[in-house]
Amino acid sequence: MGLRWITPSTARRLRPFWRRCALIGFGFLGAAFIVIMAFVFLERYLSVHGLDDLASAEDLIESFDLVMHTSDHKPLTFRRPIQKWTGDIPIFFDTSVSDWHRSMAERQLPLIARLIGLRFILTKTYDPQSALNVVLAEGAAAMRKEVRRFTTEMNASWRFEDYLCFAIVPTNPNGTIQGALAVFGVKRHSTESHSCLIEELLHGLGPMADRATYTPSIFSEFTIPIEIPLNDQVLIRALYDPKIKPGMSSEQTRKLVPGIIRGLIEDIKARGPEALYQH
């Protein structure tokens, strides 16, 4: 009834206009699809190329400060003290973790142990007080359940609907980690689930934010590597340098980290990545 005012002759004259509108609409949809696919391919490319390329000392020093002292969900002005383990790390894989995911994670443990100079000890006991607990939780409800299992101090602001994976890392007053929870939410065998699992294993060791300034990086929202890139290894090794103590502020580490990282870069250039190993 509302279109009765459009006569047949008017409708015929409007046909070219509507065709142009349709073509423009399809053009916008096509352009959006191309942009999305380009982003996906760029993400994949950056995730697998340059894994062994060494970033500049300046990028690594800045990234250390951002990754170790800031939080993804708070402004850059917010700074946290250093958190790290200081002794052997019991690690528990929940029965929810598939054999494939567990195998992928365990492949990374020898490298990580050499970087941090500590041992991982596989345990069959879930222990929020002293172990790094790795669990699979698909969906917001399952994630909330795992957090309640781990701690009574669940932050009401956490939006589990937006999380693919996350870690909770409590510390004692001096910054020493006392137990951790690493949760990943993708059960299928995929690049995303593999990268997500490695990411939360590393977050369970002390790194807090995905704000690295180089690519590829586990500590980045834009790349999803399935191995630990060399530059990330440098950051982890610097975090676990004996000079860096739990509880140190950003101001304190800024006096030490430049020398540590520059020394590591020189050693890598002279002896290769093995120069990062502490044992």
Side-chain angles (χ1 to χ4, degrees), residues 68-69 80-87 118 169-180 203-208 239-240 244-249 252:
M68 306 304 171
H69 286 291
R80 286 184 175 179
I82 287 292
Q83 55 185 28
K84 59 190 286 189
W85 297 80
T86 56
L118 303 175
V169 187
T171 64
N172 67 17
N174 73 3
T176 300
I177 295 174
Q178 293 185 315
H203 281 306
L205 300 177
M208 288 181 278
L239 173 63
Y240 278 85
I244 304 299
K245 308 296 184 184
M248 276 188 168
S249 67
Q252 289 174 308

Side-chain angles (χ1 to χ4, degrees), residues 218-266:
I218 290 288
F219 308 122
S220 169
E221 297 290 352
F222 305 107
T223 54
I224 48 174
I226 59 173
E227 303 291 341
I228 304 175
L230 178 60
N231 293 312
D232 289 349
Q233 294 179 40
V234 173
L235 294 197
I236 297 164
R237 171 60 179 80
L239 173 63
Y240 278 85
D241 188 280
K243 298 185 187 72
I244 304 299
K245 308 296 184 184
M248 276 188 168
S249 67
S250 177
E251 290 75 15
Q252 289 174 308
T253 60
R254 283 174 186 165
K255 298 175 183 178
L256 299 171
V257 168
I260 292 171
I261 286 181
R262 288 193 174 95
L264 292 173
I265 290 174
E266 291 178 4

Side-chain angles (χ1 to χ4, degrees), residues 81-275:
I82 287 292
Q83 55 185 28
K84 59 190 286 189
W85 297 80
T86 56
D88 293 340
I89 305 172
I91 183 166
F92 169 77
F93 288 94
D94 190 72
T95 54
S96 60
V97 180
S98 71
D99 290 341
W100 184 84
H101 285 104
R102 176 167 179 164
S103 175
M104 294 297 101
E106 289 182 344
R107 279 178 48 195
Q108 305 296 328
L109 296 184
L111 170 60
I112 298 172
R114 289 192 288 267
L115 294 171
I116 66 177
L118 303 175
R119 294 185 305 164
F120 288 101
I121 301 174
L122 294 174
T123 177
K124 296 181 180 179
T125 304
Y126 182 90
D127 185 358
Q129 304 302 319
S130 63
L132 172 53
N133 303 279
V134 183
V135 302
L136 166 68
E138 287 190 291
M143 289 180 177
R144 287 192 184 92
K145 181 179 178 181
E146 287 300 336
V147 172
R148 293 191 185 101
R149 179 187 179 194
F150 181 77
T151 179
T152 58
E153 300 178 4
M154 185 166 67
N155 193 320
S157 67
W158 292 344
R159 297 178 55 84
F160 295 102
E161 295 82 1
D162 300 334
Y163 299 159
L164 187 61
C165 51
F166 62 90
I168 299 176
V169 187
T171 64
N172 67 17
N174 73 3
T176 300
I177 295 174
Q178 293 185 315
L181 175 67
V183 178
F184 68 104
V186 184
K187 187 174 184 178
R188 67 183 183 276
H189 301 175
S190 65
T191 299
E192 288 80 3
S193 66
H194 187 179
S195 181
C196 205
L197 178 54
I198 297 172
E199 176 184 353
E200 300 317 326
L201 280 176
L202 296 181
H203 281 306
L205 300 177
M208 288 181 278
D210 293 330
R211 285 177 166 166
T213 62
Y214 53 80
T215 59
S217 175
I218 290 288
F219 308 122
S220 169
E221 297 290 352
F222 305 107
T223 54
I224 48 174
I226 59 173
E227 303 291 341
I228 304 175
L230 178 60
N231 293 312
D232 289 349
Q233 294 179 40
V234 173
L235 294 197
I236 297 164
R237 171 60 179 80
L239 173 63
Y240 278 85
D241 188 280
K243 298 185 187 72
I244 304 299
K245 308 296 184 184
M248 276 188 168
S249 67
S250 177
E251 290 75 15
Q252 289 174 308
T253 60
R254 283 174 186 165
K255 298 175 183 178
L256 299 171
V257 168
I260 292 171
I261 286 181
R262 288 193 174 95
L264 292 173
I265 290 174
E266 291 178 4
D267 291 343
I268 292 170
K269 290 179 178 178
R271 299 188 284 124
E274 292 77 11

